[in-house]
Amino acid sequence: MPQTNDAQLILWGRSTSSNVMKVLWLLDELGLDYQRHDVGGDFGGTDSPEYRRHNPTGLVPTLQDGDFRLWESNAILRYLASIHPTPLWPQAPRMRATIDQWMDFQQTVLNGLVVAVFRPLIRLPAAQRDPAQIARDAKALAAGWRLLLPQLEAHAYVAGDGFSLADIPLGVLVHRFYALDIERPEMPALRAWYERLLTRPAYVRHAALPLV
Ligand SMILES: N[C@@H](CCC(=O)N[C@@H](CS)C(=O)NCC(=O)O)C(=O)O
């Protein structure tokens, strides 16, 4: 298992990015030392040839571990969990695969549904919003969360009875869901999971923050 020197870990990305929040949350859960540099959004810096050389998408986050750079937030979570083996990402193949499955679900299904509501409500001036479209998108978002409900009705956490890597990407988004000014159907198991996450100091420090 390759080991790393914690002091070498550098995270590139503004702390207001949901994808950067995931990495900050895990670094905190694992008690790792790191430096973070603000890039992206109003900070800029992601269009420079140097940044693009290491992350051709020009997005945040990028993790630097010595001379190794990695982008895609969920891949970064798995990298950190593999160099610092943790019960949050167990080796048992089915358990690990289930965690990975829900992490992919966050990227491929839920993220776009959250962005569709978050962007107009938080990033657009009120005059430019289309309330009817936002209401439709809020319904679609609730339908997305419903896909996770059976899992949360049967278990305390996304991939089973223990907190795992799968809770991090989805946990960042569930805070946005409850913090946005939208209509939400009652989903008691989802709310209970969100409240469970709120008992974790690292979640409150990095993800359950006012929306900006
Ligand atoms: N799939 C990528 C998406 C990264 C992404 O979309 N990052 C957004 C912030 S959440 C970004 O870089 N936006 C432009 C910016 O902040 O300059 C990941 O999970 O890392």
Side-chain angles (χ1 to χ4, degrees):
M1 187 67 64
Q3 289 299 315
T4 186
N5 172 358
D6 299 349
Q8 289 179 314
L9 290 175
I10 301 175
L11 181 61
W12 298 87
R14 58 186 171 88
S15 59
T16 50
S17 145
S18 59
N19 291 302
V20 172
M21 285 176 186
K22 297 173 186 177
V23 182
L24 290 170
W25 181 5
L26 181 62
L27 286 164
D28 198 342
E29 292 279 352
L30 297 178
L32 300 178
D33 289 330
Y34 60 92
Q35 294 171 35
R36 186 182 61 78
H37 297 300
D38 273 321
V39 288
D42 291 342
F43 294 101
T46 49
D47 283 334
S48 73
E50 170 69 3
Y51 190 85
R52 294 268 171 160
R53 194 157 64 80
H54 297 296
N55 183 341
T57 69
L59 298 171
V60 294
T62 301
L63 182 77
Q64 182 178 346
D65 182 5
D67 59 3
F68 176 64
R69 317 266 178 137
L70 188 66
W71 43 275
E72 278 300 334
S73 55
N74 289 357
I76 293 172
L77 299 184
R78 288 187 287 264
Y79 173 70
L80 290 172
S82 57
I83 58 174
H84 293 278
T86 160
L88 302 189
W89 199 45
Q91 294 215 350
R94 292 184 183 188
M95 189 60 209
R96 182 166 284 198
T98 300
I99 292 170
D100 292 351
Q101 166 198 277
W102 287 111
M103 293 174 81
D104 285 3
F105 168 79
Q106 178 272 327
Q107 287 281 11
T108 58
V109 179
L110 242 289
N111 196 60
L113 296 172
V114 172
V115 169
V117 182
F118 179 87
R119 193 166 278 156
L121 283 176
I122 303 298
R123 300 267 187 259
L124 278 189
Q128 290 176 31
R129 292 177 198 152
D130 175 350
Q133 185 61 47
I134 293 172
R136 280 194 293 276
D137 288 337
K139 272 196 179 140
L141 174 56
W145 283 117
R146 255 190 223 105
L147 302 176
L148 177 62
L149 272 189
Q151 191 71 6
L152 293 176
E153 281 160 2
H155 304 283
Y157 293 97
V158 168
D161 293 324
F163 177 78
S164 78
L165 231 51
D167 293 284
I168 292 182
L170 289 162
V172 169
L173 297 188
V174 83
H175 171 68
R176 294 192 166 190
F177 181 58
Y178 282 110
L180 284 166
D181 185 13
I182 52 173
E183 283 210 17
R184 284 175 295 270
E186 284 301 316
M187 290 187 271
L190 188 73
R191 170 73 78 169
W193 167 63
Y194 175 48
E195 285 172 5
R196 229 167 270 136
L197 295 181
L198 286 171
T199 66
R200 303 189 79 86
Y203 181 56
V204 174
R205 269 195 288 272
H206 302 291
L209 296 168
L211 303 184
V212 285

